[in-house]
Amino acid sequence: MDKKELKTMRSSFQKLDERRIEILHDPRIHSLMEKVSKIRKDSIDNMEELLEISKIKFQDNGIEFTYAETAEDARNIIYQLVKGYSIIAKSKSNTVGEIGLSQFLKEKDIDIVETDLGDRIVQLNYKDQRPAHPIGPALHLNIDKIAEIIHDTLGVEVEAEPRAIMELIKQDVLKELELCSVGITGANSVAAEDGSLIIVHNEGNISLLSMMDTHIIVVGIDKLVPTIEDAISVVKLETAYATGTYLPSYMNIISGPSKTADIEKRLLKDMYGAKKVIVVMIDNGRSKALKECLWCIGCGSCIVACPVYNAVGNEFGFRGYLGGRGTAISKFLESDESSYNNGLFMCTLCGLCTLECPVSTPTSDIIEKLRFSVQKSGFYPKIHTQISENIKKEGSPFKKE
Ligand code: SF4
């Protein structure tokens, strides 16, 4: 991120903080926080069991269940499902970003159209397609910059005015969607015992994607919770912390493909919605991750509070998983080296992210543990060796002239 983008990001964070202040002091949100913390901790402790239950329940509900051990497995499963199409549609999803699906499919000549406004802007920004916030991916781009990106990539002049930009992108995406019959989304929470997935959104784009012939839902095993009531509690808390509102405009609960029994109670498939719903459940290192690293509900509050993220932006993090928790999880999703390169040693261990986290993820403790293990593989700032040698030899961290 350049200086201008960092400035815009900080100003967007400030607006978000102002919007959230009232709701975060509401006693209802406090009790929801306690409830969800317990749900998330218990669910991560029982992740394997929930996975087995969900597999059976999805199949009972007519949802095809697939399991991917690695990111590569996930890409290949999805490719088998979409090969033969030249364009497919997608909504915002950190899990899809994690497995590098867009680039992979592009190399196979399959275009992905981003349907979320912020994601579409970031996608058009070919110079740097990294998001700045899990819910507001383009909040680091000011309006003049967005107008410039649109001019450069779509070749049209647009007034630097929010509604004009929104209308232009909306029409552009709708035109592309006419060519798509496969929609790929993530899910915010998954109810194992009900075989249901919840996807929250404000724009209505998920509803469009879930009406396509095939709806593919890509989700990590860490999103599993026992029941639909638990899943709703999780997404309500996520919404409050991420946007400062009590509820999103839409919560799509997907529990099967489209069907009707309106004629003599005979079951008929393929009414208006998806003919096929396919879940791609991804492990990709999660089952070996530190449990507390998986409590996250994806609200992005940690990065708003983080002094390092505010100073350097999305250099500190891994793809859509931003800030300290993002660098930490990248050790498990990718490697020690990835975690080191994503800023494991940039964290100040101040603990502000834990104070702001609705489920109290102990990010600084996690980072301390991971630094200890990652340095054993040779990934640590080499200047530390020099400092330690100076202390041993000179009794001071500084080298004598
Ligand atoms: S502990 Fe690290 S990740 Fe958390 S707010 Fe402080 S600097 Fe950021």
Side-chain angles (χ1 to χ4, degrees):
M1 278 189 200
D2 62 26
K3 275 186 186 164
K4 249 192 208 165
E5 290 171 345
L6 284 167
K7 197 171 161 213
T8 308
M9 180 187 81
R10 287 193 287 266
S11 137
S12 301
F13 281 176
Q14 202 177 342
K15 284 183 205 136
L16 177 59
D17 256 345
E18 284 160 14
R19 206 170 291 157
R20 295 188 311 176
I21 203 151
E22 206 175 307
I23 197 170
L24 298 191
H25 284 96
D26 183 333
R28 285 186 300 158
I29 296 296
H30 280 256
S31 68
L32 185 63
M33 212 165 81
E34 282 168 26
K35 184 177 169 187
V36 170
S37 294
K38 186 165 174 356
I39 292 170
R40 291 298 300 141
K41 286 165 198 175
D42 291 347
S43 302
I44 296 302
D45 286 344
N46 297 300
M47 206 161 61
E48 270 178 40
E49 194 189 327
L50 289 173
L51 179 63
E52 286 311 308
I53 296 170
S54 74
K55 184 177 173 182
I56 296 164
K57 293 295 173 181
F58 282 137
Q59 284 162 352
D60 288 351
N61 290 349
I63 294 177
E64 290 179 34
F65 176 93
T66 58
Y67 173 75
E69 178 117 25
T70 64
E72 189 186 357
D73 292 346
R75 289 192 294 269
N76 288 331
I77 288 170
I78 296 166
Y79 178 58
Q80 290 308 317
L81 296 169
V82 303
K83 69 179 179 191
Y85 295 97
S86 57
I87 184 165
I88 59 175
K90 173 184 163 295
S91 70
K92 188 162 50 215
S93 161
N94 279 342
T95 321
V96 173
E98 165 194 329
I99 61 170
L101 185 71
S102 301
Q103 186 58 33
F104 178 78
L105 292 183
K106 206 171 168 193
E107 284 159 17
K108 307 266 184 205
D109 289 328
I110 301 172
D111 280 337
I112 290 196
V113 49
E114 296 287 352
T115 53
D116 174 86
L117 177 60
D119 266 342
R120 182 67 172 154
I121 293 166
V122 169
Q123 186 187 31
L124 295 175
N125 185 22
Y126 59 90
K127 285 183 194 152
D128 184 358
Q129 296 182 322
R130 288 173 300 175
H133 184 274
I135 312 293
L139 56 66
H140 58 305
L141 301 170
N142 69 28
I143 192 122
D144 294 320
K145 178 73 185 171
I146 296 171
E148 186 190 313
I149 290 169
I150 290 171
H151 175 262
D152 291 352
T153 48
L154 297 181
V156 283
E157 289 289 348
V158 60
E159 192 190 340
E161 189 275 322
R163 179 154 292 277
I165 289 174
M166 184 192 84
E167 285 299 336
L168 187 130
I169 298 236
K170 183 167 86 177
Q171 293 314 323
D172 175 59
V173 169
L174 286 173
K175 202 169 77 203
E176 302 260 347
L177 287 188
E178 286 173 16
L179 308 170
C180 301
S181 46
V182 177
I184 298 192
T185 70
N188 300 75
S189 195
V190 183
E193 292 169 17
D194 297 289
S196 301
L197 306 104
I198 301 194
I199 317 170
V200 297
H201 53 123
N202 286 314
E203 296 181 6
N205 55 327
I206 307 276
S207 304
L208 295 174
L209 302 198
S210 68
M211 298 294 281
M212 292 187 170
D213 286 351
T214 303
H215 181 189
I216 301 171
I217 306 170
V218 185
V219 63
I221 55 173
D222 54 316
K223 296 282 183 188
L224 286 158
V225 295
T227 65
I228 196 73
E229 289 80 2
D230 294 331
I232 290 173
S233 297
V234 170
V235 298
K236 274 181 81 177
L237 188 66
E238 179 189 350
T239 304
Y241 269 77
T243 65
T245 57
Y246 284 95
L247 287 168
S249 295
Y250 305 95
M251 279 189 197
N252 285 36
I253 300 181
I254 310 287
S255 309
S258 163
K259 55 186 179 282
T260 178
D262 276 359
I263 302 172
E264 294 182 357
K265 280 290 155 211
R266 291 191 219 188
L267 191 62
L268 295 169
K269 290 184 178 169
D270 312 338
M271 199 48 194
Y272 299 113
K275 291 183 175 69
K276 261 181 163 189
V277 178
I278 304 160
V279 170
V280 183
M281 192 67 84
I282 298 181
D283 184 324
N284 198 29
R286 288 167 171 81
S287 52
K288 293 191 177 64
L290 289 176
K291 285 185 174 172
E292 53 272 36
C293 208
L294 301 175
W295 296 346
C296 176
I297 60 169
C299 67
S301 283
C302 53
I303 58 168
V304 174
C306 175
V308 175
Y309 195 83
N310 273 270
V312 303
N314 55 14
E315 301 294 321
F316 185 38
F318 167 64
R319 301 196 173 163
Y321 304 118
L322 301 164
R325 191 261 171 188
T327 67
I329 195 72
S330 69
K331 171 187 157 58
F332 306 104
L333 303 182
E334 280 204 341
S335 63
D336 286 0
E337 184 175 7
S338 169
S339 174
Y340 174 75
N341 289 335
N342 293 324
L344 192 67
F345 286 83
M346 285 162 87
C347 170
T348 63
L349 306 179
C350 67
L352 274 173
C353 48
T354 305
L355 288 177
E356 294 297 320
C357 174
V359 295
S360 305
T361 301
T363 301
S364 52
D365 293 348
I366 295 171
I367 286 184
E368 272 202 277
K369 279 187 203 160
L370 297 190
R371 281 179 180 172
F372 186 67
S373 99
V374 162
Q375 57 87 23
K376 284 189 191 158
S377 324
F379 297 106
Y380 59 93
K382 298 298 179 265
I383 188 73
H384 287 183
T385 314
Q386 183 68 57
I387 291 170
S388 122
E389 277 170 14
N390 292 347
I391 292 171
K392 276 186 219 153
K393 276 194 215 149
E394 319 285 353
S396 152
F398 304 105
K399 210 174 180 179
K400 276 204 177 140
E401 290 298 318

